[in-house]
Amino acid sequence: VKKRTEELEHTLDNLKQAQVKLIDSEKMASLGLLTAGIAHEINNPINYVTANVVPLRENVDRLTQLIDAYKALSPDNFEEQSSKIVELEKDIELDYTLNETSELIDGIEEGAKRTYHIVDGLRTFSRSDTTDKQMSDINVGIESTISVLKSQLKGIKVIKSLASDLPLVNCQLGKLNQVFLNLINNAIQAIEAKHGAKTKLGILEVSSKLENEHVLIVIKDNGNGIKEEAKHKIFEPFYTSKPIGEGTGLGLSISYSIIEDHNGELSFDSKDGEGTEFSIKLPIN
């Protein structure tokens, strides 16, 4: 009996390790698909910074000339040098140069902030979890997931209603991020299947709130919904309604397992042709 128990424990450990690898593999596959979009999102603010650097350098050179002229002032050449300074101020259009310089710095700062938010969102989303759960802010996970999906959300109206007083949840946030990614990505695909890409008719609603010692996260779309005959199969491993080669059929199955591992509930309500609403209920502790 002892030997049999040890064998069963060893098998269970192997299954747990396989599940962790499967979840990480699915996350990396998802990130691989997002790479091009994320690169484009980073490229925009970087281009903005680069475009502002050249005129900023020119303005700094002009202002340096003026400073050098002031430094050359002495009691012996005061009148002559003062005249040169006045002429130089006119030549470089001092007031305009100062205003433009301030605007260029603001632009560079904005580009840097946008780049930081994109990279920070990706870092938060991609975080690796230990086997231990820890108290985490669910809203941070939702925001980072939306951030990495930003390039795919163009043309879709995103309505966020995230409770500011949401308590921390004892969880593995990296794994929950994978759930959010799978659900939001499915919503995007359902919206595009019904309305077409970038038609501005798509609506994605994401909300979080505290409800009876649980955190409730709702992800709702106005896509094409789930057909009645498919509803009992969507959480089955390898089931997918997508064309061959466009889905592994593991996203919702893995999501269900992750939520189950957190002692939570993953449910949905859907009407064919009208949209789908997924609800995640997580205990605080």
Side-chain angles (χ1 to χ4, degrees):
V1 171
K2 183 179 179 182
K3 184 179 179 182
R4 179 72 174 161
T5 302
E6 288 174 351
E7 288 175 352
L8 287 171
E9 287 177 348
H10 181 68
T11 302
L12 182 61
D13 287 339
N14 286 339
L15 284 171
K16 285 181 178 178
Q17 289 175 19
Q19 184 188 38
V20 169
K21 288 179 180 177
L22 187 62
I23 291 169
D24 287 343
S25 176
E26 178 72 9
K27 177 182 280 189
M28 289 304 106
S30 301
L31 279 174
L33 293 172
L34 295 172
T35 301
I38 293 169
H40 179 72
E41 286 298 313
I42 292 176
N43 197 45
N44 284 339
I46 289 295
N47 282 342
Y48 197 56
V49 171
T50 305
N52 281 7
V53 165
V54 174
L56 179 61
R57 185 181 296 279
E58 290 173 354
N59 285 359
V60 169
D61 288 342
R62 292 190 188 102
L63 293 171
T64 301
Q65 277 184 286
L66 183 62
I67 291 169
D68 287 342
Y70 273 103
K71 288 168 69 176
L73 270 173
S74 70
D76 297 331
N77 66 3
F78 186 81
E79 289 187 14
E80 182 184 351
Q81 191 65 18
S82 295
S83 299
K84 287 183 180 179
I85 289 171
V86 171
E87 286 301 316
L88 188 56
E89 288 180 355
K90 288 179 182 178
D91 289 342
I92 68 172
E93 299 179 85
L94 182 58
D95 290 339
Y96 174 81
T97 299
L98 288 172
N99 288 333
E100 185 187 47
T101 300
S102 179
E103 290 171 3
L104 291 170
I105 292 171
D106 289 342
I108 290 172
E109 185 179 29
E110 179 62 25
K113 282 180 180 177
R114 288 185 191 180
T115 304
Y116 168 78
H117 286 310
I118 294 166
V119 173
D120 188 56
L122 184 60
R123 178 190 60 79
T124 304
F125 173 80
S126 305
R127 62 182 287 180
S128 296
D129 285 312
T130 61
T131 54
D132 298 325
K133 295 180 173 72
Q134 53 186 302
M135 303 306 287
S136 303
D137 187 340
I138 294 297
N139 286 342
V140 169
I142 294 171
E143 292 279 15
S144 70
T145 305
I146 291 173
S147 175
V148 298
L149 283 167
K150 190 174 178 182
S151 63
Q152 292 180 244
L153 286 164
K154 286 176 179 175
I156 297 175
K157 183 179 181 181
V158 180
I159 302 172
K160 290 187 293 185
S161 180
L162 307 179
S164 58
D165 59 346
L166 205 65
L168 299 180
V169 173
N170 191 29
C171 66
Q172 291 175 289
L173 189 59
K175 288 183 179 178
L176 290 182
N177 287 345
Q178 180 65 35
V179 175
F180 303 147
L181 178 80
N182 289 339
L183 297 181
I184 295 174
N185 205 31
N186 283 352
I188 292 169
Q189 292 170 354
I191 288 169
E192 290 182 348
K194 180 178 179 180
H195 302 289
K198 300 178 182 178
T199 58
K200 297 186 178 179
L201 295 173
I203 299 173
L204 175 70
E205 298 178 55
V206 184
S207 64
S208 66
K209 66 177 181 178
L210 180 63
E211 188 178 86
N212 301 324
E213 298 302 311
H214 287 75
V215 166
L216 178 66
I217 302 109
V218 176
I219 297 169
K220 181 179 179 181
D221 66 71
N222 68 336
N224 54 9
I226 301 170
K227 295 185 182 298
E228 198 64 39
E229 62 268 21
K231 288 183 178 178
H232 69 286
K233 296 188 287 186
I234 68 167
F235 292 126
E236 291 180 6
F238 304 108
Y239 171 76
T240 177
S241 59
K242 298 169 189 172
I244 294 172
E246 288 189 18
T248 61
L250 289 171
L252 287 176
S253 173
I254 287 174
S255 297
Y256 191 88
S257 298
I258 291 171
I259 299 303
E260 194 175 48
D261 185 54
H262 283 76
N263 298 315
E265 297 174 18
L266 176 60
S267 59
F268 70 94
D269 182 34
S270 182
K271 290 184 180 178
D272 189 12
E274 294 184 25
T276 303
E277 177 179 301
F278 276 92
S279 298
I280 304 167
K281 187 181 282 189
L282 296 167
I284 296 171
N285 297 307

